[in-house]
Amino acid sequence: MSYLESIEAVAALMSPEGRVDPYPLYRVLHAGGPALDTGTSGYVVTSYAAIDAVLRDPYVLVADASTMDRAWPDWRDHRSVASIATSMLRTNAPDHTRMRRLASGAFTARRVAGLRDTVEAQAAALVADMRGRLAAGETVDVMDAFAYPLPIGVICALLGVPPGDHAWFRQRAGDLTAVLEPDIDVAELDTADRGTREMEAYLEDLVARRRRTSADDLTTALVRASDADPDQLSGDELLANLLLLLVAGFETTTNLIGNGLVTLMDHPRAAAGLDPDTAPAYVEEFLRYDSPVQLTSRLVTRPTRVPGLDLPAGAWLMLLLGAANRDPARFGEPDRFDPWRADGGPISFGAGAHYCLGAPLARLEARIALPLLRDLPGLALAGEPERRDRLTLRGYARLPVTTTP
């Protein structure tokens, strides 16, 4: 594989066609080795072993405020960027450790297991509604009818957002996620900023209400922590992390459910084996086969050796998680969907200090949701699903289905 072909593959990833189907391009990049040196102090990393090592290296960091000050001096003028940069998503130790510790109590194994009844009840109600509409001959968009409302309902219940306000967040949250893409235009940034300001205003009001009247939710817990010791969680950090938890709490799971369902419909023989008992293995393979998160980035702060690669200090890394999940050096027949593979273990939720806090909840929701959707009788696509124009967060904008006799 020539260097030029690899460079062209990276460029193609940023195109609309590449975002719709990046997997052929990942194969090209894998053929060129564990990483591509772009020649501008940047590396595109595709190796599972290298990405796993990088994410666990304490000297390979996220781009935080100090880094952004050097690269983009006016980034604070954009509310979407400023909010993300203030949250634990884009901070390093010790700030990241401090903020993550305060939020992590809501996502322990015990707390997540305690949400099972809530998730099952919400999923069953949504599927029952879909079943009735399909039986009446309607075409149903799974994203509208199920994949969005289920995780939004769960994370909003955790945060104490009233049910009537759930749908209000969907478009605004989707607009905000554009700032996570490797390439964003001015119009998208303006839209993301506007949506962020609107969501911040909502959350400021929610925080004020929790100060007046507490509740058994995560917002109340974080408000109390901030009020008791602003050095542990400032007012800006409180708002930024509430917004992060809200958006991240449903975006990834929504994509996991949509991607998983299409995979099942594309693989009917494998789909026949999915039930509540086998769901954990299937969800791990959904995460590997068509990851809802395709990439993240890091900055190397001192010379680092990872499997197959020497990285100099100052190197910027684009870590292609979706490519790592299809790495032939890690997975046998990586392009084959196989929930019973012995070499499982996707890296879709990252690794190390920034491992996704909500991963246990996302897995629980998908393990409950996908067997219920698979059991809808005669479920079939009603036209071509429409992908969102995103590379980082991979999912569907529309997923129309119907039933067949």
Side-chain angles (χ1 to χ4, degrees):
M1 185 61 58
S2 72
Y3 178 77
L4 179 59
E5 288 174 308
S6 295
I7 289 290
E8 289 174 344
V10 172
L13 276 176
M14 308 303 157
S15 70
E17 296 78 14
R19 292 191 289 270
V20 166
D21 185 9
Y23 296 109
L25 300 170
Y26 293 160
R27 288 194 289 273
V28 172
L29 292 169
H30 281 306
L36 173 68
D37 182 351
T38 64
T40 56
S41 298
Y43 292 77
V44 178
V45 189
T46 57
S47 155
Y48 185 105
I51 289 176
D52 185 57
V54 160
L55 292 174
R56 297 176 190 276
D57 191 319
Y59 296 98
V60 181
L61 307 178
V62 299
D64 59 15
S66 62
T67 305
M68 293 174 65
D69 283 338
R70 297 191 295 273
W72 187 7
D74 62 348
W75 63 270
R76 288 180 177 83
D77 295 340
H78 299 282
R79 281 309 308 158
S80 55
V81 180
S83 178
I84 292 293
T86 305
S87 75
M88 57 184 147
L89 184 67
R90 289 287 174 85
T91 51
N92 296 296
D95 291 335
H96 171 265
T97 309
R98 169 177 53 80
M99 288 186 277
R100 185 182 175 100
R101 185 183 300 117
L102 291 172
S104 62
F107 299 95
T108 63
R110 181 181 63 81
R111 292 292 296 272
V112 169
L115 291 169
R116 174 175 287 276
D117 289 348
T118 299
V119 176
E120 288 179 339
Q122 291 192 24
L126 291 168
V127 165
D129 180 69
M130 284 183 62
R131 188 185 300 271
R133 293 171 61 189
L134 290 166
E138 286 188 46
T139 295
V140 176
D141 181 354
V142 175
M143 306 311 292
D144 280 341
F146 189 95
Y148 276 103
L150 176 65
I152 287 176
V154 173
I155 194 63
C156 284
L158 268 176
L159 292 172
V161 174
D165 295 338
H166 295 181
W168 183 86
F169 283 101
R170 176 179 171 179
Q171 182 62 50
R172 293 162 179 83
D175 292 338
L176 171 59
T177 61
V179 305
L180 303 176
E181 295 296 311
D183 188 20
I184 181 173
D185 62 34
V186 174
E188 288 178 311
L189 189 54
D190 288 344
T191 301
D193 289 342
R194 183 168 56 253
T196 300
R197 286 192 294 269
E198 292 173 355
M199 288 189 289
E200 285 180 333
Y202 180 97
L203 292 171
E204 285 173 344
D205 180 67
L206 179 62
V207 165
R209 281 184 275 145
R210 289 299 177 266
R211 286 198 169 105
R212 292 192 300 268
T213 306
S214 63
D216 184 19
D217 57 40
L218 181 55
T219 299
T220 296
L222 293 177
V223 167
R224 286 174 175 169
S226 179
D227 289 351
D229 186 358
D231 289 337
Q232 285 298 302
L233 190 68
S234 72
D236 287 344
E237 290 170 343
L238 168 64
L239 203 60
N241 283 294
L242 284 174
L243 184 53
L244 172 68
L245 290 167
L246 177 66
V247 173
F250 77 84
E251 278 283 342
T252 301
T253 310
T254 291
N255 293 342
L256 172 57
I257 292 170
N259 295 352
L261 182 59
V262 172
T263 300
L264 288 173
M265 289 191 284
D266 286 343
H267 298 83
R269 290 183 64 184
L274 174 62
D275 59 37
D277 292 331
T278 62
Y282 274 76
V283 169
E284 295 310 291
E285 182 67 349
F286 294 138
L287 286 165
R288 186 202 68 82
Y289 185 77
D290 197 11
S291 176
V293 181
Q294 291 282 311
L295 68 86
T296 187
S297 60
R298 292 294 188 272
L299 173 65
V300 179
T301 62
R302 74 174 190 182
T304 300
R305 170 74 178 171
V306 297
L309 198 59
D310 289 306
L311 297 170
W316 284 97
L317 309 179
M318 179 186 289
L319 307 175
L320 295 179
L321 305 176
N325 285 332
R326 298 283 188 105
D327 183 358
R330 175 69 174 79
F331 301 102
E333 297 183 75
D335 294 326
R336 178 170 59 89
F337 177 74
D338 178 10
W340 305 116
R341 62 172 58 247
D343 53 6
I347 202 165
S348 308
F349 290 120
H354 279 81
Y355 182 79
C356 177
L357 191 63
L361 181 57
R363 285 185 163 107
L364 173 68
E365 293 177 60
R367 290 169 182 175
I368 292 169
L370 285 159
L372 289 173
L373 291 171
R374 190 205 71 86
D375 285 344
L376 286 168
L379 196 67
L381 291 174
E384 188 68 23
E386 178 187 338
R387 283 280 183 188
R388 296 176 66 192
D389 189 22
R390 295 280 192 269
L391 178 59
T392 300
L393 296 179
R394 177 170 170 79
Y396 289 96
R398 293 182 62 258
L399 180 47
V401 296
T402 186
T403 54
T404 57

